């Protein structure tokens, strides 16, 4: 428990004090945001706002995790390190994309094939490594079975697992990236999901099958390799994003950029895979799924019928064009995300209680 508290508090403190320093550095370098000409007109004032702010909470999360381990004298685990690797690796791909956009003055950043290749390399490395490093109970950080609240169904095998893990990583990374269109929207939504995974990791630790002898019902335990350390990582991410939100909320002083959105999406997918709650993530991160589906629907409808379902996609811009203020859209979308987290955690607890 102390690790969780230390990681969250340190992550919060580091981004609160570190983000304004990053803002000054990026502003001095002239690393400002490009604004799409076809976007809402109200976004014109955002042009030039420092971007690549994801650097702030990525570094804060890594430092918070390390310091929590040093302070408590606990050893890091393979599960925790793999999720951090996935976050940092995806963040690096996003950083290269942001850097090329800003410094090289190329609006599309990395070429599509290069960006995809970077994501695939990081994702495959994570998926392959997640099936290694078994503990004394034979558990690896990830499982080759599909999972909702716990593992279920048949084993899909290592090859299909890698494909499934890649799908999750790419889907969540792009989902967070699409959501990152309004001040604080993606950051605030991510805070809620990381908070949920902090609770899930702590609950899985308390009800771990490793403690089967002390549980009232061993049949309702969780077979997760390092649940407590996953809670530490989630807490560090939650604290770091909370601190970043102070500077990212409207009017934003800094944007996370692809550096931040790809990193957050990777971290969410990694937590879901290692905590054996893969399909539950679709509900816990319901806002990201909703916004991604709005783009899929818009593109599909236009290609098949030549008509658009929404005034603009992603979904948040549709409501802006309907006359909603940016703050109103963000707060209402946060409410939607909060309800998704509540329902997701309710199902998580109900599934555990039903097994009891």
């Amino acid at each position: 428990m102390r690790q969780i508290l230390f990681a969250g508090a340190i992550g919060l403190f580091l981004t609160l004090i570190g983000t304004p320093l990053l803002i000054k550095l990026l502003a001095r370098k002239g690393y400002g945001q490009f604004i799409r000409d076809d976007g809402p007109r109200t976004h014109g004032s955002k042009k030039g706002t420092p971007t690549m702010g994801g650097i702030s909470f990525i570094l804060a999360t890594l430092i918070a995790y390390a310091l929590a381990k040093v302070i408590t004298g606990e050893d890091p685990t393979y599960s925790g390190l793999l999720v951090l690797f996935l976050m940092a690796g995806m963040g690096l791909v996003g950083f290269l994309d942001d850097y090329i956009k800003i410094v090289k003055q190329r609006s599309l950043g990395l070429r599509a094939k290069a960006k995809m290749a970077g994501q695939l390399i990081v994702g495959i490395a994570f998926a392959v490594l997640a099936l290694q490093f078994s503990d004394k109970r034979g558990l690896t950080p990830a499982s080759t079975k599909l999972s909702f609240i716990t593992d279920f169904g048949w084993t899909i095998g290592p090859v299909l697992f890698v494909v499934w893990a890649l799908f999750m990583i790419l889907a969540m990374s792009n989902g967070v990236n699409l959501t990152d269109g309004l001040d604080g929207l993606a950051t605030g939504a991510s805070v809620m999901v990381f908070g949920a995974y902090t609770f899930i990791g702590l609950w899985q630790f308390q009800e771990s099958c490793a403690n089967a002898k002390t549980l009232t019902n061993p049949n309702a335990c969780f077979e997760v390799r390092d649940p407590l350390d996953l809670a530490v990582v989630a807490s560090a991410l939650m604290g770091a994003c909370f601190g970043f939100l102070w500077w990212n909320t409207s009017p934003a002083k800094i944007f996370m950029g692809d550096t931040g959105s790809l990193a957050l999406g990777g971290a969410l997918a990694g937590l879901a895979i290692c905590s054996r709650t893969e399909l539950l993530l679709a509900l816990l991160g319901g806002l990201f799924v909703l916004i991604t589906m709005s783009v899929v629907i818009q593109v599909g409808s236009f290609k098949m019928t030549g008509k658009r379902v929404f005034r603009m996609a992603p979904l948040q811009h549709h409501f802006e064009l309907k006359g909603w203020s940016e703050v109103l859209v963000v707060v209402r979308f946060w409410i939607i995300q909060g309800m998704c987290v509540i329902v997701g955690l309710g199902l998580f607890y109900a599934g555990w209680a039903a097994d009891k």
Side-chain angles (χ1 to χ4, degrees):
M1 179 63 77
R2 289 194 307 146
Q3 296 180 70
I4 296 174
L5 295 175
F6 280 131
I10 294 170
L12 173 64
F13 175 76
L14 289 177
T15 47
L16 277 176
I17 66 168
T19 304
L21 300 178
L22 180 63
I23 292 172
K24 292 180 180 178
L25 175 62
L26 294 173
R28 190 180 307 122
K29 297 275 188 185
Y31 294 173
Q33 178 72 32
F34 284 103
I35 302 297
R36 291 167 50 184
D37 294 332
D38 59 344
R41 294 180 181 179
T42 54
H43 289 199
S45 60
K46 300 174 184 285
K47 186 175 182 180
T49 301
T51 187
M52 296 194 291
I55 295 171
S56 173
F57 55 75
I58 291 172
L59 292 178
T61 299
L62 295 174
I63 295 171
Y65 177 83
L67 288 180
K69 293 298 179 182
V70 171
I71 293 171
T72 59
E74 300 290 339
D75 294 327
T77 67
Y78 287 113
S79 297
L81 292 175
L82 280 171
V83 174
L84 293 175
F85 161 76
L86 182 57
M87 175 196 71
M90 295 298 286
L92 178 59
V93 175
F95 172 80
L96 293 174
D97 189 44
D98 287 334
Y99 184 83
I100 292 173
K101 286 179 186 175
I102 297 165
V103 179
K104 302 297 183 182
Q105 297 293 304
R106 197 168 79 200
S107 60
L108 295 178
L110 279 173
R111 304 295 183 190
K113 290 183 179 179
K115 188 174 183 179
M116 179 60 71
Q119 291 176 298
L120 288 176
I121 290 171
V122 175
I124 291 173
F126 167 82
V128 171
L129 291 173
L131 294 179
Q132 313 303 317
F133 313 114
S134 58
D135 63 6
K136 59 185 179 182
R137 292 180 294 152
L139 293 177
T140 54
S143 168
T144 54
K145 290 184 177 181
L146 296 178
S147 61
F148 179 55
I149 295 170
T150 57
D151 288 344
F152 69 87
W154 297 283
T155 300
I156 60 176
V159 175
L160 285 180
F161 166 76
V162 171
V163 175
W164 169 239
L166 280 175
F167 170 77
M168 287 191 61
I169 293 166
L170 294 175
M172 285 310 301
S173 296
N174 288 313
V176 178
N177 185 254
L178 290 170
T179 305
D180 183 35
L182 300 182
D183 295 354
L185 179 58
T187 309
S190 297
V191 166
M192 298 181 204
V193 187
F194 289 132
Y197 271 109
T198 302
F199 170 82
I200 287 171
L202 183 58
W203 191 266
Q204 288 178 333
F205 173 71
Q206 293 176 338
E207 301 294 330
S208 172
C209 294
N211 306 322
K213 293 182 179 179
T214 62
L215 298 178
T216 56
N217 185 2
N219 294 324
C221 63
F222 294 97
E223 287 283 10
V224 178
R225 190 190 190 283
D226 307 299
L228 184 62
D229 210 36
L230 293 176
V232 175
V233 172
S235 178
L237 279 160
M238 179 179 64
C241 287
F242 238 136
F244 181 75
L245 184 60
W246 182 271
W247 305 103
N248 182 233
T249 194
S250 184
K253 301 294 188 297
I254 189 171
F255 300 136
M256 69 171 69
D258 281 13
T259 305
S261 60
L262 296 187
L264 292 181
L268 288 170
L271 286 169
I273 292 168
C274 292
S275 65
R276 316 290 172 87
T277 56
E278 295 160 357
L279 297 179
L280 184 63
L281 178 60
L283 185 52
L284 291 173
L287 180 65
F288 304 126
V289 175
L290 178 65
I291 288 176
T292 301
M293 289 308 300
S294 73
V295 176
V296 174
I297 292 170
Q298 183 84 325
V299 173
S301 175
F302 187 76
K303 286 186 175 181
M304 289 187 293
T305 68
K307 297 181 180 180
R308 293 180 172 86
V309 176
F310 307 104
R311 295 188 180 187
M312 185 177 180
L315 188 60
Q316 62 268 33
H317 299 318
H318 167 78
F319 289 103
E320 278 193 290
L321 293 180
K322 285 191 68 174
W324 291 19
S325 69
E326 180 174 0
V327 173
L328 181 62
V329 175
V330 169
V331 172
R332 286 181 174 174
F333 275 41
W334 280 351
I335 292 172
I336 293 172
Q337 176 56 49
M339 290 190 292
C340 290
V341 166
I342 290 170
V343 173
L345 288 178
L347 286 176
F348 174 80
Y349 178 81
W352 171 82
D355 288 336
K356 289 194 71 174

